[in-house]
Amino acid sequence: EFTLVDLSARKAVVRKGHDSVIRAVGFVPGGKRLITCDAEASLRVWEHGTDRPVKVFKSRDRTKRETAQEIRVSADGRWAAVSTSDEGGLTWVWDLTTGREVASYAGAERVVFSPDGQMLAIHLTSPAKPNASPEDKPTAHRVKLVPVRDWEAR
C-alpha cells in the first residue's frame, strides 16, 4: 500500500493493490492517472479519485526481481517503459491500452520518450569486464533510439 497526498484537497489517500514494495512511480500525461511498479515487475495504473488500481500488468517473466528505478510514459499515454538498476540494467515496455509487455532491452540504465512520443531513447551500458578496476566500469556507453512503431505490430 502507499499514501497519495492530494495537495489541492489537503488530504491523504491510502491506496492498496501491490503485493510487494513499490519501487517506481510515474504520471500518465494529463495527470489523471498514476503508474506504480513493484519489486515483482508488475505495474498498476491508478485513476485519480479511486483507491484500487484500474489496470494491473504482470511481466511475462515472473522471475524478474530487478529493482525498478524509473517509469517513463509516452506523450500519448500509450506506452510505459520501466528501467531497472540490477544486473547491468533492464528496461521493459508495456502497451497501456492492451496490457501487453511488448519489448525488453538488456543493459539499459535510463530511458526517455521523445516529446512527440514516437521514439524511445535508451541509455545502454555494456557489462564491465571481470575483475576490472573502477576506472574501467562500465566499459562503454551508448544510446539506442527505438521507434514506437516497432511495437505497434506486436
Side-chain angles (χ1 to χ4, degrees):
E1 82 182 36
F2 68 98
T3 302
L4 181 65
V5 178
D6 183 340
L7 296 177
S8 63
R10 294 186 176 164
K11 67 177 184 176
V13 178
V14 176
R15 305 244 173 122
K16 297 179 181 181
H18 281 284
D19 296 326
S20 63
V21 176
I22 294 172
R23 298 291 188 189
V25 297
F27 276 103
V28 175
K32 299 286 184 194
R33 290 188 169 192
L34 178 75
I35 298 177
T36 55
C37 183
D38 66 22
E40 294 183 355
S42 67
L43 286 179
R44 299 220 178 357
V45 179
W46 309 82
E47 195 154 310
H48 182 69
T50 62
D51 62 351
R52 295 275 176 208
V54 295
K55 293 182 181 179
V56 177
F57 308 131
K58 299 206 181 229
S59 174
R60 290 181 301 209
D61 180 359
R62 297 299 295 154
T63 63
K64 290 178 182 165
R65 292 287 187 262
E66 292 87 1
T67 303
Q69 64 183 10
E70 68 179 344
I71 297 174
R72 300 293 180 151
V73 181
S74 62
D76 63 2
R78 180 172 179 188
W79 311 104
V82 177
S83 60
T84 67
S85 59
D86 295 349
E87 302 296 324
L90 174 70
T91 291
W92 62 98
V93 181
W94 270 281
D95 182 334
L96 295 178
T97 60
T98 66
R100 291 184 321 128
E101 183 181 337
V102 295
S104 62
Y105 303 94
E109 288 194 350
R110 299 278 185 206
V111 295
V112 65
F113 282 97
S114 63
D116 65 3
Q118 297 302 303
M119 300 287 283
L120 178 68
I122 304 168
H123 174 223
L124 299 166
T125 60
S126 61
K129 298 172 187 171
N131 303 319
S133 67
E135 303 85 46
D136 293 334
K137 295 181 182 180
T139 57
H141 290 270
R142 60 191 167 101
V143 173
K144 177 178 184 170
L145 296 176
V146 180
V148 298
R149 69 177 175 268
D150 288 359
W151 310 319
E152 290 174 347
R154 295 181 182 187

